[in-house]
Each structure stands twice: as structure tokens, then as C-alpha cells.
Amino acid sequence: MWLLGAHMSVAGGHSLAIERAMAFNMTACQIFTKNANQWNAKPIAPEGAESFRAKVAASEIGFVVAHDSYLINLASPDDTLWQRSVAAFGDELQRCAQLGVPWLVTHPGAHMGTGVDEGVVRVARGLNRLFDELPDLGVTVLLETTAGQGTSLGRSFEELAMILALVEDQTRVGVCFDTCHVFAAGYDIRDPEVYATTMQAFDDSIGL
């Protein structure tokens, strides 16, 4: 079965995102578990989480993924922002677990001029800390390929591979391959031949 879907709004309740996806006969769906442009979020009520799980189970949707807040920067050199980002990402992981969403997509973050190597270490340090503090959640973190504006990490497959290599629990991380971002970063995917070359480069650096 081909999985085809879109990001759907959770306005009015998380389960409504599934209803909206079902109205378009989707087989996949992405959501935010909270407002992506705010740090704070109301806790998810148990009945709301149960309704979401029930709607997914009763639907044809075979893949549900969440995207974290855009404010989070696990690569930040500012310790206050880094600590806040780690705490917020931990909350995102727990919200996914409550909803039964098995995948959480995140932008690797921006090193803010301190360099790729330092940024990579901070991202991995944050993930390792959270994985130690929050075992057995059943949620896999997907590092998203990025277009690489400014000091954003993830513009190359090699940068993602550097982060992944430093994560201690390899079973809890993967990659979200964003085709738009990959193309903007300079990887060609416009015809079968160059697509194959790009995917081979991904396989060589990270592994399919």
C-alpha cells in the first residue's frame, strides 16, 4: 500500500486531525502535538489521547508522525536556550508517547556560528540525555534533512551521519528525508539517474 498524506491541523482536538485526514482518504498524517511557535503547551487530557488513538485505529491511516516545535534548537551554544530546548523536546517525546505516535521529526538545529562540529556534539548530547531520562517511550526521533539556511545543521548527509554516530542508543533515531529540503541543499532528484545517485550517496553516508 502506498502511503500518501499531509500535515493536518489539530485545532479543536488532536483526534480532529485524523478526521480531517480521513476526509481526504489519506493513508498517512503528520501533526504538531502543540502550537509549534510557543514554548508552553496545555497537557493532553487522557480522554483526548484515547480519542486520538481510537480514531487512528479505526482509520486507513497506516503512518502517523509528529513534528516538534520550531523554537527548539538542540544545537544552540547558549546554555539557557539549550537547556530549554532539551526540556521542550522531552515534553514533545512524552506527548507523542501519550498519543501513540511512534515518530517525532525534528530539525537538527543551528550552531549559531560556533561550527558544525560543536553543534553536532550538542545535538547528540541532548538526545543522549533524554534517551537516558525517558526510556521505553516507543518513540523514534527522526532527524530531518534541511535546506541549510544560515547555520542550520542537516544540509548534508554527512552532517546527519555525524550526529547519528554520537547517539548511544541507535534504535531510537532515524532520518526524515525531506525531498524539498534535500533538493534545495543541492542534491538532485529530478530524474531516475540523478535520483539513484543521490540515494546512493545517502546510503553510503547513513544507510537505508
Side-chain angles (χ1 to χ4, degrees):
M1 178 179 68
W2 289 97
L3 297 176
L4 183 65
H7 188 107
M8 302 305 288
S9 170
V10 297
H14 292 86
S15 64
L16 292 181
I18 303 304
E19 291 185 16
R20 292 168 181 134
M22 291 169 61
F24 289 96
N25 297 315
M26 293 181 184
T27 49
C29 179
Q30 178 177 273
I31 63 168
F32 291 124
T33 69
K34 57 180 282 297
N35 188 316
N37 295 306
Q38 295 182 9
W39 287 105
N40 298 324
K42 290 195 308 181
I44 300 172
E47 58 270 22
E50 180 56 38
S51 175
F52 181 86
R53 288 170 174 265
K55 284 281 170 54
V56 173
S59 75
E60 295 298 316
I61 296 173
F63 188 91
V64 181
V65 60
H67 196 297
D68 69 339
S69 167
Y70 293 133
L71 301 178
I72 291 171
N73 183 7
L74 294 178
S76 175
D78 181 294
D79 189 59
T80 299
L81 179 56
W82 185 83
Q83 296 284 357
R84 191 174 194 184
S85 294
V86 171
F89 195 69
D91 182 57
E92 297 267 11
L93 285 167
Q94 293 177 86
R95 292 169 75 86
C96 283
Q98 187 180 1
L99 292 168
V101 175
W103 312 96
L104 177 60
V105 175
T106 184
H107 299 163
H111 61 72
M112 308 303 291
T114 57
V116 170
D117 290 346
E118 289 192 28
V120 160
V121 168
R122 284 190 291 272
V123 175
R125 184 185 301 139
L127 293 176
N128 287 331
R129 184 169 107 179
L130 287 170
F131 292 163
D132 286 342
E133 293 175 355
L134 300 170
D136 307 320
L137 282 183
V139 180
T140 299
V141 173
L142 302 180
L143 301 174
E144 185 175 347
T145 55
T146 68
Q149 300 100 321
T151 65
S152 296
L153 299 173
R155 73 184 69 204
S156 71
F157 301 152
E158 288 78 12
E159 287 183 5
L160 292 176
M162 289 168 66
I163 298 171
L164 293 170
L166 295 175
V167 175
E168 294 164 2
D169 188 347
Q170 294 283 301
T171 67
R172 298 183 68 177
V173 286
V175 172
C176 169
F177 193 100
D178 186 306
T179 53
C180 178
H181 290 168
V182 163
F183 184 73
Y187 292 98
D188 206 344
I189 52 174
R190 288 175 293 181
D191 64 52
E193 183 178 354
V194 295
Y195 173 86
T197 299
T198 290
M199 295 311 296
Q200 186 60 58
F202 181 89
D203 198 15
D204 291 343
S205 296
I206 295 172
L208 294 172

